[in-house]
Amino acid sequence: MLSASRPSSGHPLRILIVEDDPMIQLGLERILPSQPQFQVVEVAEDGFRGVEAALEHKPDLIIMDIGLPKKDGIAATDEIKQQLPHVRVVMLTSHTNETEVLAALSSGADAYCVKGASIEQMLAAIAAAATGALYLDPQVTRCVMDNLRPATPDPSIGHLTEREMDVLRLLVEGNNNTEIGEALHLSPNTVKTHVRGIMNKLAVDDRVQAAVVALRAGLV
């Protein structure tokens, strides 16, 4: 799982932490450097500095608290993603309400992790985000699914082929392209083609938005 941190280049995954809770800071600063594939470039304590640090360091991944002083994590993520669209963001929160989750995902967050999650869950979120896969904490998934049901049909869902629906379900479960290909016995290029087709038909810009549409439609 943790080999997701750039095995092709051999360089560590450069991580920016944006968190104002001293205990969470301490925990992350202890956990991440203990993994040789991670390098913490800075710890910022507010959203305003978080944006500055992101533009300064251009990290591979940001661990972003949602409730930050000066600029909240959702606004900071949105601003960072506009200027650094390829940086991955793992959003941390102590809340699991639907509105906040969807706002965070709409801002461009690639993973959503509840504070107090196990080390394994945190590392899973980082690994998933690093490979471009969607990761939702199990508590968040249950919350979103409970609040989005009964399903809200989306006419665009009906335009998907049976194979695209298979790919979409696996995408929502957090699988990356390689894992989807292995599960469906497809080549990586074929999976990329299906994912691109799904996003075009659903009129969304990325995998996270596609997953939100799928959740709203009650597909998973």
Side-chain angles (χ1 to χ4, degrees):
M1 177 185 298
L2 299 181
S3 61
S5 57
R6 300 195 165 190
S8 60
S9 68
H11 296 156
L13 194 76
R14 301 175 65 254
I15 298 177
L16 167 65
I17 299 171
V18 187
E19 171 61 69
D20 67 327
D21 185 322
M23 293 303 295
I24 302 295
Q25 283 182 10
L26 181 61
L28 291 172
E29 288 182 286
R30 285 181 176 176
I31 294 169
L32 298 181
S34 69
Q35 304 290 329
Q37 63 270 52
F38 300 147
Q39 176 189 354
V40 176
V41 296
E42 185 177 332
V43 177
E45 297 185 352
D46 63 73
F48 182 80
R49 176 56 197 164
V51 173
E52 286 186 334
L55 298 180
E56 177 182 337
H57 295 290
K58 295 181 173 56
D60 302 306
L61 184 141
I62 301 172
I63 298 176
M64 177 79 71
D65 183 17
I66 203 168
L68 293 165
K70 297 186 180 180
K71 187 189 295 285
D72 67 55
I74 292 174
T77 297
D78 184 61
E79 186 172 343
I80 290 168
K81 282 284 192 172
Q82 288 183 35
Q83 301 188 64
L84 300 172
H86 300 298
V87 69
R88 307 296 185 184
V89 177
V90 175
M91 192 74 78
L92 292 182
T93 183
S94 56
H95 306 291
T96 58
N97 67 78
E98 175 205 347
T99 301
E100 189 175 81
V101 172
L102 294 181
L105 296 178
S106 297
S107 74
D110 302 280
Y112 200 99
C113 202
V114 176
K115 290 182 178 180
S118 68
I119 294 175
E120 290 75 16
Q121 286 176 308
M122 174 63 70
L123 295 179
I126 293 172
T131 58
L134 169 67
Y135 179 91
L136 292 179
D137 186 288
Q139 294 182 58
V140 172
T141 302
R142 286 194 296 270
C143 167
V144 172
M145 292 174 67
D146 289 345
N147 282 279
L148 291 181
R149 289 175 177 167
T152 304
D154 188 315
S156 57
I157 290 289
H159 299 154
L160 299 181
T161 66
E162 183 177 349
R163 179 56 80 192
E164 287 172 338
M165 289 289 288
D166 292 337
V167 171
L168 180 58
R169 290 189 184 94
L170 289 169
L171 184 154
V172 171
E173 291 173 4
N175 296 284
N176 59 34
N177 286 356
T178 299
E179 293 165 336
I180 293 172
E182 291 174 351
L184 299 178
H185 306 291
L186 301 173
S187 71
N189 284 337
T190 299
V191 174
K192 287 181 182 178
T193 299
H194 283 312
V195 171
R196 188 162 52 246
I198 290 167
M199 291 192 295
N200 288 338
K201 290 180 180 179
L202 299 185
V204 297
D205 297 324
D206 56 43
R207 300 162 68 99
V208 172
Q209 293 176 15
V212 171
V213 171
L215 287 168
R216 285 191 180 280
L219 296 181
V220 295

